[in-house]
Amino acid sequence: MTRDAMTAPPRQQLHQTYAAAVPELSVPWQADPPARPELAWLNEQLARELGYEPQWLHSPAGLALLTGQLDATGVPLAPGAEAPADDEAFTTAQVYAGHQFGTPNPQLGDGRAVLLGDLIDTCGARRDLHLKGSGPTPVARAGDGKAPLGPMLREAVVGESLHALGIPTTRALAVVATGEQIPPRQGVTPEPGAILVRVAASHLRVGTVEYAAWHLAEPVRTAVIDHAIDRHHPAAREAENPYLDLLRRVSEAQAELVAQWMLLGFVHGVMNTDNMALSGEGIDYGPCAFLDVHRAAAVFSSIDRGGRYAYGNQPGIALWNLSRFAETLLPLIDPDDPDASVEAATATLEGYEGHYLDAWARGLAAKLGIPVDPAAPPGERAASHIEPRSSPVAPAASSGDPDHLAAIRALGEELLELLESQAIDHTGFFRALTEGAATSLFTDPSPFRAWHQRLLDLRGSGPAADSAVAAMAGANPLYIPRNVHLDAALRSAHLGDLEPVHRLLEAVARPFERRPGLADLEGPGDGGEDFLTFCGT
Ligand code: AMP
Ligand code: MG
């Protein structure tokens, strides 16, 4: 490492935009200094995007940043320097409430997370830097505020995978092992502790607004909602009713997000309202998993005993959460007429289903190689401050021939029934279809052949069909963090070998491109049928 890399100050100035906008919803708080911090993984590409030199992040000052050891102005502390007292800290702990498994919880947290601050990245977008597992905060309900290495690496892998698949998501900048052993969540073996350094468009959750609505004076609710508009949906300001328009935009962003999860076979696992971000990014990947065999009722989380957050329930649950969000907006939508507010919010939420079905049909068309009409111009779409990127999975839009899209949807529904009835791997099927090898997956291929003929009819022929077929390889991944492979990699990490996690991260970062030496990561692996995850979020 060069001397410059050791001594150069970080290029980035951290801000506390959120705390300045809504001081009532966070407290200054200093992260615990970790015992022996060591980088378990650094996301070099994301570091550069944020304006940090990866080499600098390896230095003592970089590690101080990544563990929240900042002075009262947000500058990394020199080794041995005294940290500010908690009430003078630059960093903050955010409070929120939420509905957990359908039940309101007046105060959830954040009990183990510290917001380092926000910065403007090299693309001009404002991003939060946040630590999870950095010790208990004053808004903790209970618990030690620590996090185990396995679940933090899991969140990092899942975030990278979803990002590479073109899906809005929070991401990990780094996972830092703290050098501590923490009590096990199951069994008797202590687990290595870790901090996840998370990057997000913001940490505004439905549960954040619920907290303000349930506990604080009216101006705070308005302030946090105004902050959400400024930060994620500034175009809503121009609408006749900005709060109603915010609801529409958040609802459309969620419809698009969940449609993309469904197309990929992704199961979030804990879609509580505190785990739904107003930015439209997926957040808090705990007991999440990807389907192997396609199954609408698939549940992988040990805590989801009733199957509320089963794969097939996700579109409906997102709408349920949006309804809770809408309730927090009612006094602002029409302050003088509660009935008119309810009516307007209900009408807005009625748009969710159509938007979801449209996004799902378009994404499915991309996966099946069926041409669809071009997407609506960007001005028509929900603006958000998530970094701009093209989605290879679901070019979301609201235009297109409705009959054509309806026919695609019907074909898709038929396909999913077929996959489920013959216990076919979700991701494996779409890739095999891309590679012209799907028939051999079916024990009884005749219904598939009939379905395939309908696909060919819908696809048609000509240049549009040819290019849709050629684009299938960029819509149907080879490498996703399959349950068995991810679990095996996390077990190795627990035992001190990080190589399998790094290899999996490499694989999922370029999910569409087959590379030598990664064949074992393509399929579901053995023994994943009854996979269950015990991760907290
Ligand atoms: P989650 O289930 O992770 O979405 O978390 C719900 C709330 O529980 C969040 O505010 C967390 O910060 C909090 N929480 C989870 N684990 C711990 C822990 N070990 N110590 C303190 N708070 C925790
Ligand atoms: Mg959470």
Side-chain angles (χ1 to χ4, degrees):
M1 187 177 295
T2 64
R3 195 168 170 280
D4 273 350
M6 291 290 293
T7 54
R11 280 180 46 201
Q12 282 290 19
Q13 173 65 48
L14 288 171
H15 308 272
Q16 289 288 342
T17 303
Y18 176 76
V22 272
E24 299 84 354
L25 290 173
S26 58
V27 285
W29 193 251
Q30 187 72 27
D32 285 356
R36 287 174 306 284
E38 213 172 297
L39 272 173
W41 181 63
L42 177 68
N43 190 339
E44 298 200 352
Q45 181 244 332
L46 181 56
R48 287 195 191 92
E49 198 174 301
L50 294 173
Y52 288 112
E53 269 307 313
Q55 212 184 11
W56 179 81
L57 288 171
H58 281 278
S59 74
L63 211 52
L65 171 75
L66 296 174
T67 55
Q69 301 308 299
L70 306 181
D71 72 13
T73 67
V75 171
L77 289 164
E82 200 175 326
D86 288 317
D87 60 353
E88 285 174 6
F90 175 81
T91 53
T92 51
Q94 297 168 297
V95 69
Y96 55 81
H99 281 81
Q100 291 182 297
F101 292 91
T103 306
N105 186 329
Q107 187 183 325
L108 263 169
D110 205 315
R112 56 166 173 174
V114 159
L115 180 66
L116 295 184
D118 55 274
L119 52 77
I120 304 292
D121 72 11
T122 54
C123 306
R126 189 174 293 280
R127 316 274 286 267
D128 271 4
L129 282 192
H130 166 109
L131 305 184
K132 188 157 161 179
S134 54
T137 72
V139 291
R141 290 168 299 166
D144 58 4
K146 303 292 163 80
L149 179 63
M152 297 305 100
L153 286 170
R154 168 186 284 273
E155 179 159 339
V157 171
V158 169
E160 284 317 281
S161 168
L162 293 172
H163 171 74
L165 293 163
I167 296 177
T169 179
T170 66
R171 297 175 69 187
L173 172 61
V175 177
V176 184
T178 58
E180 293 171 344
Q181 293 288 312
I182 64 172
R185 288 154 309 135
Q186 28 154 354
V188 291
T189 324
E191 300 185 57
I195 295 171
L196 176 82
V197 188
R198 182 160 71 187
V199 177
S202 84
H203 284 81
L204 286 161
R205 307 153 186 268
V206 170
T208 310
V209 189
E210 287 182 306
Y211 187 92
W214 295 348
H215 302 299
L216 299 173
E218 201 50 61
V220 181
R221 176 199 319 230
T222 309
V224 71
I225 292 169
D226 282 341
H227 180 61
I229 291 179
D230 292 345
R231 195 142 172 186
H232 300 299
H233 302 284
R237 280 268 171 258
E238 312 307 321
E240 191 186 327
N241 188 321
Y243 301 112
L244 200 56
D245 201 52
L246 173 69
L247 179 61
R248 177 181 69 82
R249 289 170 186 276
V250 169
S251 147
E252 290 183 359
Q254 287 299 325
E256 289 169 24
L257 176 67
V258 176
Q260 296 184 64
W261 285 355
M262 296 301 286
L263 291 163
L264 277 171
F266 179 70
V267 187
H268 180 284
V270 222
M271 288 177 69
N272 292 332
T273 57
D274 55 300
N275 292 335
M276 182 185 267
L278 300 184
S279 64
E281 287 183 337
I283 190 168
D284 271 356
Y285 305 119
C288 58
F290 285 84
L291 295 178
D292 289 321
V293 163
H294 183 90
R295 209 158 54 81
V299 173
F300 300 102
S301 164
S302 64
I303 55 171
D304 190 5
R305 293 192 188 87
R308 178 180 171 89
Y309 299 136
Y311 168 72
N313 286 354
Q314 296 184 115
I317 287 292
L319 179 58
W320 191 91
N321 290 347
L322 289 163
S323 306
R324 305 290 77 73
F325 179 50
E327 284 162 8
T328 70
L329 295 171
L330 291 177
L332 280 67
I333 291 173
D334 188 338
D336 303 321
D337 187 343
D339 292 341
S341 278
V342 171
E343 208 174 303
T346 306
T348 299
L349 289 179
E350 275 167 7
Y352 168 88
E353 186 180 358
H355 203 85
Y356 170 81
L357 291 174
D358 188 88
W360 189 78
R362 287 176 177 280
L364 186 72
K367 287 174 85 64
L368 297 178
I370 304 171
V372 288
D373 293 346
E380 300 290 301
R381 298 171 52 184
S384 105
H385 278 182
I386 299 166
E387 69 186 287
R389 67 175 77 100
S390 62
S391 163
V393 178
S398 55
S399 77
D401 172 3
D403 290 343
H404 186 51
L405 291 179
I408 292 168
R409 258 195 329 265
L411 189 76
E413 280 155 17
E414 206 184 315
L415 169 67
L416 298 184
E417 276 171 33
L418 192 55
L419 296 183
E420 177 144 5
S421 68
Q422 296 205 33
I424 308 290
D425 185 85
H426 181 98
T427 301
F429 167 79
F430 285 101
R431 189 67 191 200
L433 185 73
T434 306
E435 296 175 356
T439 313
S440 64
L441 300 178
F442 292 84
T443 342
D444 171 11
S446 63
F448 170 70
R449 288 204 180 97
W451 176 88
H452 193 247
Q453 186 52 52
R454 282 193 287 284
L455 167 63
L456 296 180
D457 295 344
L458 207 51
R459 193 182 273 165
S461 57
D466 292 346
S467 64
V469 169
M472 283 171 74
N476 294 310
L478 279 161
Y479 308 116
I480 54 165
R482 303 264 196 176
N483 302 326
V484 162
H485 307 315
L486 179 55
D487 219 40
L490 297 183
R491 256 180 287 125
S492 293
H494 184 139
L495 299 172
D497 179 8
L498 289 163
E499 203 280 326
V501 168
H502 292 165
R503 177 170 176 263
L504 190 54
L505 278 159
E506 284 284 310
V508 302
R510 282 153 62 201
F512 302 110
E513 188 189 327
R514 184 174 276 118
R515 281 158 281 153
L518 296 177
D520 59 304
L521 297 178
E522 280 191 28
D526 294 329
E529 297 78 17
D530 302 313
F531 178 83
L532 204 58
T533 169
F534 297 87
C535 278
T537 52

